[in-house]
Amino acid sequence: METSTLVLIVTAAVLFIALVVTAWVMSRRTRRAKEELAAAQQEHSSEESALTARHAGEKRELQQQHDSSLAELAVRNDSQAQQRLAEHETEITRLQAERDAAVKAGTESQQLAGQGMRWELASRELLVDACTAAGLDAIIATNIVFSPHDDEATAPYCVQLDHLVITEKAVVLVDSKNWKGLIFDGKKPSSMAGALSILFDETALPTSYAISLKRDSAGSVSVRSKLEHESPAFQVRRQARRFHGHLAARHGSAPYLQTCVFYSHPDARVWTDGLDEGERGRATRIASARTIQKALIDVQTNGSTAPTSHQLTQLVATVRELGADLHGTGRFASEFASPVPLTFRVPARAARTTATAPTATQDGPRMATRRRAVA
């Protein structure tokens, strides 16, 4: 055999053997890699299972903690809610007690304030209604009590004024008379019916007088006569002089005070000329519930000296200091609002302990119906 052929055969054999060895080596490496991959996959699966189990355990633990926290919060919230509900109910009870006490105190305060002007409540209401209906910007001061300076008096004394109607054009002192029945003020009875002259000596009547005829509960007619210095017109002029002197002594000047006798009872029928000339030209207007609006309008333009703004400011401050009840109309309505409602009436003695709201009594009728009609 030739050497080249032999070399070729040997070379081929070596290459074959090398190929076989290489294939065997590669096969073992492949098998080993597969085994390692399988082992790795098994280990990964084991780790994944362990992680899943651990995650599930942690999730259960967290859920348990969450549920426990929720239960604890629910118990705490229920406890706080019950506590706050109890505190709320306690606060409501306290506020209700305060409200009831305030309502009671307010009612008692109204009764005390109203008691001071018991007889002037109905006439105050009528005056406010009249000023409102007339469109007057007015301040109605009720129940003014002062001690005048009187050199002739042997002891100090007090004077009570029923009402002052204060506007920028006039100050009117109103003396309210709660008389009912037929009233002759400055007008002779015979001028109404000639037959009445048989009952009265009209020749003896002075310049100022008032005669009242009223039927009593027994059906008989009673007669009341107020003559000269006892007449309502003379009395209101005397009150005006005293109050004017009080204001002048206090402030150095005082506004001119016009006067009015107001028969405020709704059952009063007044026979009058509407004016009592009085002494020294100091005329006094005579009005009833039906004519008081006209009287208040007339005094605004009767030619008397209007008060100055300074005098009005001093006057309002003075009557406030004297404890008067102030109620405004027109543009003064918001500034001067009385704490005692216009419809308030002092309850009867037996009802004062149980009354929860102002009620009308025999002291005078409410004027709510009339007020609605005016509005």
Side-chain angles (χ1 to χ4, degrees), residues 23-270:
W24 179 79
V25 171
M26 292 297 293
S27 176
R28 283 185 62 83
R29 286 181 177 177
T30 300
R31 187 168 57 249
R32 187 180 300 166
K34 288 182 178 180
E35 290 175 353
E36 290 177 353
L37 179 61
Q41 287 179 343
Q42 184 177 4
E43 183 180 358
H44 177 71
S45 296
S46 298
E47 290 178 354
E48 186 176 7
S49 298
L51 286 173
T52 302
R54 186 169 61 186
H55 177 69
E58 291 176 349
K59 183 176 181 181
R60 284 193 302 272
E61 184 179 355
L62 289 174
Q63 185 65 42
Q64 291 174 354
Q65 292 177 355
H66 178 67
D67 293 342
S68 177
S69 298
L70 283 179
E72 182 180 351
L73 288 173
V75 171
R76 185 187 306 169
N77 183 61
D78 289 342
S79 176
Q80 291 177 349
Q82 292 295 330
Q83 180 180 357
R84 289 177 180 175
L85 181 61
E87 292 175 351
H88 179 65
E89 292 176 350
T90 302
E91 183 68 10
I92 289 177
T93 302
R94 184 185 67 80
L95 291 175
Q96 287 177 339
E98 290 183 356
R99 181 200 63 187
D100 294 342
V103 170
K104 181 180 179 181
T107 301
E108 291 176 350
S109 296
Q110 285 183 349
Q111 290 178 358
L112 288 174
Q115 187 70 30
M117 52 180 182
R118 180 185 186 91
W119 306 113
E120 290 77 34
L121 289 170
S123 54
R124 177 192 67 155
E125 185 175 356
L126 286 169
L127 288 173
V128 171
D129 285 346
C131 290
T132 301
L136 296 179
D137 298 324
I139 302 170
I140 295 89
T142 300
N143 194 38
I144 305 164
V145 180
F146 68 100
S147 179
H149 176 74
D150 189 346
D151 294 332
E152 297 180 0
T154 58
Y157 64 97
C158 289
V159 173
Q160 188 267 342
L161 309 179
D162 292 342
H163 309 282
L164 271 183
V165 178
I166 305 168
T167 70
E168 292 178 340
K169 294 182 178 180
V171 180
V172 188
L173 175 57
V174 180
D175 188 22
S176 173
K177 297 298 181 184
N178 195 41
W179 295 6
K180 62 181 179 179
L182 181 60
I183 301 167
F184 300 94
D185 191 309
K187 192 90 167 176
K188 293 181 180 180
S190 62
S191 64
M192 179 180 183
L196 290 176
S197 62
I198 194 174
L199 300 177
F200 305 97
D201 182 8
E202 295 182 350
T203 60
L205 291 176
T207 303
S208 296
Y209 61 88
I211 301 172
S212 168
L213 282 72
K214 180 181 68 172
R215 185 169 57 188
D216 57 27
S217 58
S220 59
V221 176
S222 61
V223 178
R224 173 168 52 180
S225 299
K226 297 295 183 180
L227 309 178
E228 206 163 1
H229 292 175
E230 293 183 354
S231 70
F234 185 91
Q235 290 179 353
V236 72
R237 287 192 290 267
R238 179 169 55 194
Q239 289 180 335
R241 287 193 297 270
R242 287 171 172 170
F243 191 54
H244 186 276
H246 178 77
L247 293 174
R250 182 167 182 173
H251 303 298
S253 67
Y256 178 78
L257 300 179
Q258 301 193 54
T259 54
C260 175
V261 175
F262 178 29
Y263 295 101
S264 56
H265 199 285
D267 294 334
R269 297 297 180 267
V270 184

Side-chain angles (χ1 to χ4, degrees), residues 291-317:
T291 62
I292 186 61
Q293 180 180 334
K294 180 180 182 302
L296 292 176
I297 293 175
D298 289 345
V299 298
Q300 305 298 310
T301 56
N302 75 336
S304 62
T305 304
T308 65
S309 59
H310 183 62
Q311 287 175 334
L312 290 177
T313 300
Q314 290 179 330
L315 176 60
V316 173

